[in-house]
Amino acid sequence: MPQKLCIGVAGLGTVGSGLVEMLIKNHDDILRRTGREIVIKTAAVHDLSKKRELPAGVALTSDVMSLADDPDIQIVVELMGGTKAARHLVMRAIENGKSVVTANKALLAEHGREIFALAQKKNVAIGYEASVAGAIPIIQTLKNSLAGNHITSVMGILNGTSNYILSEMNQHGFDFPTALREAQELGLAEADPSLDIDGQDAAHKLTLLIRLAWGRNYPFSRLAVEGIRGLNPLDIKFAREFGCRIKLIGQAREVDGKIEAGVFPALMHHTLLLARVNGAYNAVRVEGNAVGSLFLHGLGAGRRPTASAVLGDLLALARRSAENGSGDNTGFVDPLPDAEILPSEEAVSPWYVRATVRDTPGVLRDIAAVFTEEDISFAQILQKAKENDRVPLIFMTHETTGRAIHTAVRRLEQSGTLLVPATCFRILGSCGDEAEEI
Amino acid sequence: MPQKLCIGVAGLGTVGSGLVEMLIKNHDDILRRTGREIVIKTAAVHDLSKKRELPAGVALTSDVMSLADDPDIQIVVELMGGTKAARHLVMRAIENGKSVVTANKALLAEHGREIFALAQKKNVAIGYEASVAGAIPIIQTLKNSLAGNHITSVMGILNGTSNYILSEMNQHGFDFPTALREAQELGLAEADPSLDIDGQDAAHKLTLLIRLAWGRNYPFSRLAVEGIRGLNPLDIKFAREFGCRIKLIGQAREVDGKIEAGVFPALMHHTLLLARVNGAYNAVRVEGNAVGSLFLHGLGAGRRPTASAVLGDLLALARRSAENGSGDNTGFVDPLPDAEILPSEEAVSPWYVRATVRDTPGVLRDIAAVFTEEDISFAQILQKAKENDRVPLIFMTHETTGRAIHTAVRRLEQSGTLLVPATCFRILGSCGDEAEEI
């Protein structure tokens, strides 16, 4: 009979309590799969007095660092979030030769380099499937299943809160504040929703995906990040007239050996699977030179889905006898070099531009002249009926750089042609044969 | 410097040549990920005289069993297909302590029990990601990522050829022979397409998925299998009028501790992601008590996508030093018991029934009487205009068993109420919140 696997859990919030629930509920399945009992020896919590449903024998402590120092604990499961205390805990656990399972994307995006380096030195495993896209096994897929590919792009809907807001705006015509309020009432958005709606959360996850796809460190601080705060419902409506949806996308692709990456709202044609991801679901599309296009879709957050990912990592460690993981946590043998970065402004794609102009002769001529000078050509133009003497003009361009678009728009703003700042979004994703059936 | 990994490849057809191509093209990526050179020592082929693009140093042989006996070869990659010679090769390789990577679903569906038993005894690994749904990492996902779940259902589009034919019928209104001929001209269907269009190929794959999801052997010979041969375009048209598509589905679900499974054409509402899988793509949807609903979509066949899956397995073995795999290839520790089977006829779902009747009074009354006696109630009824005195009647029922449906229909056929045999399909998949955005 193999030994029990003894773990310490830091944090019994949503994910931690989901983990406890699933360990109890799926006890027999887990035993059949691993041959080992997984036992929580200690859980670290802020509030020791709170009532909790725990299996008999679980000790509670408010001293989280004790998990890292307890010689009985083989794996530390870090579910507390944040980057400060979590970093101390994880580094100490590794230092003491323990493997770590974590759902903490911020920690690994901002301190991944030192954490993975120490884990390699100590030859312990870091399981972090739960840190990106919840229950979707994208870490496993990039690290193992697609290891024989040269990856060319990774794009995804990595934040369920923003996607829920965008879905509600799209399906019910809500404005941004209404959709945000609804998400908050449903518990899908925090009281301070900044991390989600301003794109930081998606950016943390994208940083991890870049590391896995290309084996390069992309400094989180250099990632171009734009959120959906205050998105105008008009743009969702006009996008639909072109057969598109607006989604908050995290995207990275390889262009001439450099990595171009960012988080931003973008238009996608409705026949792409990514454009149809509904509500709080997440999805990731990976393209590689062998796999072609692979699309994974599932619940990106929540008690049980996140616990599903944490358990996947835990059980993998239980099977390979946990005490010695492999230091090979990035999917690459050697320490990772930095990514060569292609700034987003230099990247090429089609663009959507919504301009608001006066209803006078010559305006379209002036705009066309500036766009032509910036070497931008139009694929489609839509002029809508005027309102209070203001005319909305929507341009869908052929491929061009963000720099060209922003220069043209700035020039038109300065010359007074535009009555209010223009709205500019990239258009992503060739439909190709991944397009779904009609 | 770690040792080279020396492999033998049985078969240099589509997949084998794709493997060779990707090993060359992605050489540097693979080396970064594993730290080891992967070297093909010998490839076994039928025709030694045929010109092939091979890396220098690869020996060719027509004696496939020599791969299993060569002490230099650490892993045998079986890409020859079929169940006879392939079985001998795989068993001998395992007997000799070699791990095996295979894309052979028929082999593992029909002889999996003995192969996995011997592999466990010899403590070698069997990598078979390529055997189900091509490039989609569904084996890895069920075996590892979702290991902490209790799985409740697995359903998928597991055969690209049939899905292509159905897509063409749906999108262009082709009849079955036309769509099949087109698929054959494009090389997507064999000259003898039986394995694909009669559902056997999907059934082989489903057998493997059941084993992975529940750790049970489901005897392949007992699987209910129905294909799409001769599907009437009328049904595709009528299904659309109810917002549904017809897909060839492999489905297994747990009902009261028993497994209900089968391959059959079924209606699915168009808002389900599975209903929108286009052309030669495959997709699998897994439901578990932690993960919720997880949907994976990708290329189900072809040179490079299948090579992607083979390479994923090979690289995993290269990383864990290959010589000793783990015998834990099913995802479960102990040998697997047989599944308790719930016959498909006893399983409950809504049904679609198309009846062809004479245009005389009392027909609907007679049909309704028989259905009521069989305890079947209707959710929707559609009567179409008559043609040559024949009236098509389409019924969408509430949940009922296949047994009830088939009994009712047989009674109506025997009483002469139906002019031709009725067409009956199950309707699958609650839309729930997995439904895509509109």
Side-chain angles (χ1 to χ4, degrees):
Chain A
M1 187 70 191
Q3 270 192 308
K4 289 179 182 184
L5 181 69
C6 181
I7 67 175
V9 178
L12 286 179
T14 307
V15 181
S17 58
L19 175 65
V20 170
E21 181 198 358
M22 299 321 293
L23 275 173
I24 297 170
K25 196 183 284 279
N26 295 345
H27 171 270
D28 296 353
D29 293 84
I30 291 171
L31 196 60
R32 277 193 75 209
R33 286 186 180 273
T34 62
R36 303 177 77 177
E37 296 282 347
I38 297 179
V39 177
I40 303 176
K41 182 182 179 195
T42 313
V45 295
H46 277 301
D47 180 0
L48 287 171
S49 63
K50 194 172 159 188
K51 271 251 169 206
R52 301 167 199 272
E53 291 220 14
L54 289 173
V58 176
L60 287 182
T61 178
S62 58
D63 173 17
V64 69
M65 294 303 283
S66 70
L67 303 180
D69 293 331
D70 184 336
D72 290 344
I73 289 176
Q74 296 159 285
I75 298 175
V76 170
V77 182
E78 185 278 301
L79 303 172
M80 54 206 274
T83 53
K84 221 175 140 171
R87 175 168 162 261
H88 286 303
L89 170 66
V90 166
M91 291 297 281
R92 177 101 69 104
I94 299 170
E95 191 63 65
N96 291 340
K98 298 185 197 313
S99 288
V100 169
V101 174
T102 178
N104 196 328
K105 56 232 71 171
L107 177 69
L108 294 178
E110 297 181 21
H111 305 292
R113 186 193 287 266
E114 65 170 343
I115 290 169
F116 289 122
L118 187 62
Q120 184 153 37
K121 191 173 140 207
K122 292 291 183 172
N123 200 33
V124 302
I126 311 291
Y128 51 109
E129 186 62 80
S131 64
V132 180
I136 300 173
I138 185 62
I139 308 282
Q140 174 84 278
T141 295
L142 284 171
K143 204 170 121 188
N144 297 315
S145 307
L146 302 187
N149 282 259
H150 185 82
I151 304 294
T152 49
S153 88
V154 178
M155 63 167 76
I157 291 171
L158 302 172
N159 182 269
T161 306
S162 327
N163 198 59
Y164 181 83
I165 291 171
L166 292 175
S167 287
E168 291 298 288
M169 291 178 74
N170 176 51
Q171 302 213 28
H172 305 299
F174 293 165
D175 61 12
F176 183 82
T178 307
L180 171 59
R181 208 176 316 118
E182 195 201 67
Q184 285 170 325
E185 281 163 13
L186 289 171
L188 290 169
E190 315 265 345
D192 173 3
S194 325
L195 257 181
D196 291 319
I197 67 174
D198 292 333
Q200 294 296 313
D201 174 72
H204 283 137
K205 294 166 181 166
L206 185 61
T207 308
L208 304 196
L209 295 181
I210 294 171
R211 192 186 277 140
L212 287 156
W214 290 285
R216 301 265 184 271
N217 284 309
Y218 193 112
F220 172 70
S221 56
R222 292 193 56 193
L223 207 56
V225 182
E226 203 184 323
I228 57 163
R229 194 186 286 267
L231 188 82
N232 194 326
L234 265 186
D235 292 309
I236 289 179
K237 186 168 150 272
F238 292 147
R240 282 186 75 96
E241 297 195 22
F242 290 101
C244 291
R245 306 285 176 272
I246 296 181
K247 291 289 180 191
L248 182 65
I249 297 290
Q251 184 207 232
R253 50 181 184 168
E254 196 190 47
V255 183
D256 302 329
K258 296 182 178 174
I259 307 293
E260 186 254 311
V263 172
F264 46 86
L267 273 71
M268 308 195 93
H269 197 261
H270 75 94
T271 53
L272 282 169
L273 291 169
L274 265 177
R276 309 298 283 259
V277 175
N278 188 35
Y281 274 87
N282 281 17
V284 185
R285 187 179 91 186
V286 183
E287 291 183 337
N289 68 349
V291 71
S293 174
L294 181 70
F295 174 83
L296 313 181
H297 176 274
L299 290 162
R303 179 183 167 89
R304 288 184 172 197
T306 313
S308 172
V310 169
L311 275 169
D313 283 339
L314 263 181
L315 269 59
L317 289 171
R319 282 166 167 169
R320 65 168 128 123
S321 82
E323 295 72 19
N324 56 358
S326 106
D328 172 25
N329 297 301
T330 59
F332 293 84
V333 175
D334 294 322
L336 305 184
D338 279 341
E340 274 197 83
I341 293 175
L342 176 70
S344 259
E345 282 287 282
E346 306 299 336
V348 158
S349 64
W351 281 78
Y352 160 101
V353 178
R354 175 168 61 84
T356 308
V357 299
R358 221 178 302 276
D359 184 22
T360 47
V363 166
L364 188 58
R365 180 204 55 204
D366 294 348
I367 294 176
V370 168
F371 274 77
T372 305
E373 281 167 32
E374 299 300 336
D375 219 15
I376 301 165
S377 63
F378 297 127
Q380 290 181 76
I381 302 178
L382 180 69
Q383 177 172 343
K384 305 299 289 187
K386 70 175 165 183
E387 227 171 284
N388 307 325
D389 216 38
R390 290 171 162 211
V391 179
L393 275 174
I394 296 98
F395 304 94
M396 308 282 271
T397 79
H398 287 297
E399 291 217 322
T400 183
T401 61
R403 182 181 306 279
I405 289 287
H406 294 127
T407 305
V409 161
R410 202 164 41 242
R411 284 180 57 190
L412 290 165
E413 281 166 13
Q414 284 163 356
S415 70
T417 309
L418 305 188
L419 296 175
V420 292
T423 305
C424 309
F425 294 124
R426 287 171 70 171
I427 305 170
L428 286 188
S430 69
C431 296
D433 58 355
E434 191 229 301
E436 50 164 314
E437 198 165 321
I438 303 303
Chain B
M1 188 67 191
Q3 271 192 307
K4 289 180 180 182
L5 181 69
C6 180
I7 69 174
V9 177
L12 287 179
T14 307
V15 181
S17 59
L19 175 65
V20 171
E21 180 197 359
M22 299 320 292
L23 275 173
I24 297 169
K25 197 184 283 282
N26 295 345
H27 172 269
D28 296 354
D29 294 84
I30 292 171
L31 196 60
R32 276 192 75 208
R33 286 188 180 272
T34 62
R36 303 177 77 175
E37 295 282 348
I38 296 179
V39 178
I40 302 175
K41 183 183 178 194
T42 314
V45 295
H46 276 302
D47 180 0
L48 287 170
S49 63
K50 194 172 160 188
K51 272 252 170 204
R52 302 168 199 270
E53 291 219 14
L54 289 172
V58 177
L60 287 182
T61 177
S62 58
D63 173 16
V64 69
M65 294 303 282
S66 70
L67 303 180
D69 294 330
D70 184 336
D72 291 343
I73 289 176
Q74 296 159 284
I75 298 175
V76 170
V77 182
E78 185 277 301
L79 303 172
M80 55 207 271
T83 54
K84 220 174 141 176
R87 175 168 161 263
H88 286 303
L89 171 67
V90 165
M91 292 296 281
R92 176 102 69 103
I94 299 170
E95 192 62 66
N96 290 340
K98 299 185 197 311
S99 288
V100 170
V101 174
T102 176
N104 195 329
K105 57 232 74 170
L107 177 68
L108 294 177
E110 298 181 20
H111 304 291
R113 185 192 288 267
E114 64 169 342
I115 290 170
F116 289 122
L118 187 62
Q120 184 153 37
K121 190 173 141 209
K122 291 291 183 173
N123 201 33
V124 301
I126 312 291
Y128 51 109
E129 186 62 79
S131 64
V132 180
I136 299 174
I138 184 63
I139 308 282
Q140 175 83 280
T141 295
L142 284 171
K143 203 170 121 190
N144 297 315
S145 306
L146 302 185
N149 282 259
H150 184 80
I151 304 294
T152 50
S153 87
V154 178
M155 63 167 77
I157 290 170
L158 302 173
N159 182 269
T161 305
S162 328
N163 198 60
Y164 180 84
I165 291 171
L166 292 175
S167 287
E168 291 297 289
M169 291 178 74
N170 176 51
Q171 302 212 30
H172 306 298
F174 293 165
D175 61 13
F176 183 83
T178 306
L180 172 59
R181 208 175 317 118
E182 195 201 68
Q184 284 169 324
E185 281 164 13
L186 289 170
L188 291 169
E190 315 266 345
D192 174 3
S194 327
L195 257 181
D196 292 319
I197 67 174
D198 292 333
Q200 294 296 314
D201 174 74
H204 281 138
K205 294 167 182 166
L206 186 62
T207 308
L208 303 196
L209 295 182
I210 293 171
R211 190 186 279 140
L212 287 156
W214 290 285
R216 299 267 185 272
N217 284 311
Y218 193 112
F220 172 70
S221 56
R222 292 193 56 193
L223 207 56
V225 182
E226 204 184 323
I228 57 164
R229 194 186 286 268
L231 188 82
N232 194 325
L234 265 186
D235 292 309
I236 289 178
K237 186 167 149 273
F238 292 146
R240 282 186 76 95
E241 298 195 23
F242 291 99
C244 291
R245 306 285 176 272
I246 296 180
K247 291 289 181 190
L248 183 65
I249 297 291
Q251 184 206 234
R253 50 181 185 168
E254 197 191 46
V255 183
D256 301 329
K258 295 182 177 174
I259 306 294
E260 186 254 311
V263 172
F264 46 86
L267 273 72
M268 309 195 91
H269 198 260
H270 75 93
T271 53
L272 283 169
L273 291 169
L274 265 177
R276 309 298 283 260
V277 174
N278 188 35
Y281 274 87
N282 281 17
V284 185
R285 186 179 92 184
V286 183
E287 291 183 338
N289 68 349
V291 70
S293 174
L294 181 70
F295 174 83
L296 312 181
H297 176 275
L299 290 162
R303 179 183 167 91
R304 289 184 171 197
T306 312
S308 171
V310 169
L311 276 169
D313 283 340
L314 263 182
L315 269 59
L317 290 171
R319 283 164 166 169
R320 63 167 127 124
S321 83
E323 295 71 20
N324 56 358
S326 107
D328 172 25
N329 298 301
T330 59
F332 294 84
V333 175
D334 294 322
L336 305 184
D338 279 339
E340 273 198 83
I341 293 175
L342 176 71
S344 259
E345 282 288 280
E346 305 299 335
V348 158
S349 64
W351 281 78
Y352 161 101
V353 179
R354 176 168 60 84
T356 308
V357 299
R358 221 178 301 275
D359 184 21
T360 47
V363 167
L364 188 57
R365 180 203 56 203
D366 295 347
I367 294 177
V370 168
F371 274 76
T372 306
E373 282 167 30
E374 299 301 335
D375 218 16
I376 301 165
S377 63
F378 296 127
Q380 291 181 75
I381 302 178
L382 180 69
Q383 177 172 341
K384 304 299 287 186
K386 70 173 166 185
E387 226 171 285
N388 308 327
D389 214 39
R390 290 169 164 215
V391 180
L393 276 174
I394 296 99
F395 304 93
M396 308 282 272
T397 79
H398 287 298
E399 291 217 322
T400 183
T401 62
R403 182 181 305 279
I405 289 286
H406 293 129
T407 305
V409 160
R410 202 166 40 243
R411 284 180 58 189
L412 290 165
E413 282 167 13
Q414 283 163 357
S415 70
T417 310
L418 305 188
L419 296 176
V420 294
T423 306
C424 309
F425 295 124
R426 288 171 69 171
I427 306 171
L428 287 188
S430 69
C431 296
D433 59 356
E434 191 228 303
E436 48 164 316
E437 198 164 322
I438 306 301

